[in-house]
Amino acid sequence: MKNLKLEDRISANYALLFLVLILVSNIILVYSLKRQSTKVLVQSADNKMEEINSFLDKVGIFSDKTNVLTLDFNPEIVEGKKIIHVKPFNPGEDNYLYVLEIEQKNESIIPINTIGDTDTDEAAITNEKMLALLKDANLKNNVSNGKIMNIEKNKYFVFKVSRQIKNYKFNIYTLKNVTQENKIYKRLEYLVILFTIIGVVITVIVSKLLSRRILRPINNVIKTAKSISTDDLSKRIEIPKGEDELQNLTLIINEMLDRLETSFENQKKFVSDASHELRTPLAIIKGYAEIIRKRGTTDIDIFVESIDSIISETDNMRNLIQKLLFLAKGDITKINTKFIDIDANEMVHQIHSDTIVSTKTHTFHLEMGEDYKIKGDETLLQQAIRALIENATKYSEPNTNVYIKSFVKDGFGRISIRDEGVGISEEDAKRIFERFYRVDLSRTKATGGTGLGLAIVKRIVELHNGKIEVNSKMNEGTEISIILPISAKPIVINQKEKEKEKTEKKKIIRKMKNLGRKNNG
């Protein structure tokens, strides 16, 4: 049964259960009927024994008084073939038959044998043979709970009444034909077997139909599961109408499929988003590398600046990759961030310089107000600002302007990026910071967007206890501002320290020039 399908196992179990129940119930039924029939036979035999014993009592009393045993054992024949037996040896309502044996000095006679007076197969048996059959049954004397005997082709319920009167022993065998009852029970047993077989067949058919109906939701689960692949997770299982466990199971599986689809989509988009975020530092590194290749070491100042920028961007990119993994998983609160005091204007100025080198499609304008410091992770903040700049260039026409501003307003530092692009509707502006939300899927596909960049920006700003404002007009442009709390105003470096820093820088440049001359020589 283990190798059978669940549908077949359910049908087999139903059939087995029906078979056991019907057999047990029918066995109990037949047994009860037989027991009841035997009870009726025994009760009727008790009554007959009382009647026979009463008759023998009268015979015994008459014999004691007269010292003569007289008994007319010969039946009278009247009205043609009708036989009238001497009471109590008449058939009665139960149609009893009698064989009376009288024993004296090891000799016996049969004055009455009503079996011989019947029109049956047993009537041809001689008195001696009939008596021999009855004695072989070893019936107990004066016990109403007799035995079932086969005599010729019929079955008889037989019991024996025995009495000693004078020197005579009376053995009265009383027989009741139970052939018909036995046939009824046999027929009932056959019907039980027949109906059991029919019932099993019907049970198998009905249970198979029911099991198919019950298992239909499960089969739908199997069918849907087979059709699901990483390329298509949109399939869902049809929900059953009944409010039961199968409906709950289907709902749970569909919810699981929703989560799986979201997870797979997030993974795909994360891969694309990683390239999205790494594109800027790679472009900067490539830009400075191309400058070095074109100019070599002829301009040591540019050479040193380029090398410093490449090293810096490499470190930024390494940190970016590590933190991007956490951001994509939504575990930004678990990132081991390094919060320091950052000169906001200096950071924005560096980003502006890097952007001019790496992006030639737009004109970038920088506007800075008074100096201020913010406390935060510089790598993450650079990532957020660069993401906004890249977004501005992506959704505005080439050769248009992008404005980068850093200033203080209402006690907060504000870094804003404004473009001259297509703008964002008021409805979309409320959702652009949701993870994987794209305003225009077709436009996003053309520009390579993933919908995760702005979500990362929002998370970074939230990590710094800041907020984001969006101000956009359709077909005019969009301005996105990062608003951060100010930690302190930057400390102005005194003149001596500035002169010392310049002297150290000149020494490095001089050494690089000497190294260049040696290489050229």
Side-chain angles (χ1 to χ4, degrees), residues 56-57 59-60 63 69 163-170:
L56 292 177
D57 289 341
V59 171
S63 175
L69 182 62
R163 177 75 69 86
Q164 186 78 28
I165 301 177
K166 297 296 184 180
N167 295 324
Y168 298 95
K169 184 179 180 182
F170 288 77

Side-chain angles (χ1 to χ4, degrees), residues 282-293:
L282 287 173
I284 293 171
I285 292 172
K286 182 181 179 182
Y288 281 114
E290 287 177 349
I291 291 174
I292 294 172
R293 185 176 64 178

Side-chain angles (χ1 to χ4, degrees), residues 110-129:
I110 304 176
I112 293 179
N113 181 359
T114 57
I115 294 178
D117 295 327
T118 60
D119 186 16
T120 63
D121 294 330
E122 292 81 3
I125 301 177
T126 61
N127 290 346
E128 290 75 11
K129 186 176 179 181

Side-chain angles (χ1 to χ4, degrees), residues 381-399:
L381 288 174
Q382 285 178 354
Q383 179 187 347
I385 297 169
R386 284 171 175 166
L388 294 179
I389 293 172
E390 186 172 352
N391 229 46
T393 59
K394 188 183 297 181
Y395 298 114
S396 61
E397 294 295 328
N399 302 318

Side-chain angles (χ1 to χ4, degrees), residues 498-521:
K498 285 184 177 181
E499 291 295 332
K500 186 178 178 180
E501 185 178 348
K502 288 180 180 179
T503 302
E504 292 293 332
K505 192 171 184 180
K506 286 179 180 180
K507 288 181 181 179
I508 295 173
I509 294 172
R510 193 178 298 113
K511 288 180 181 180
M512 295 300 296
K513 286 181 178 180
N514 292 332
L515 180 62
R517 291 193 190 99
K518 289 180 181 180
N519 292 333
N520 292 330

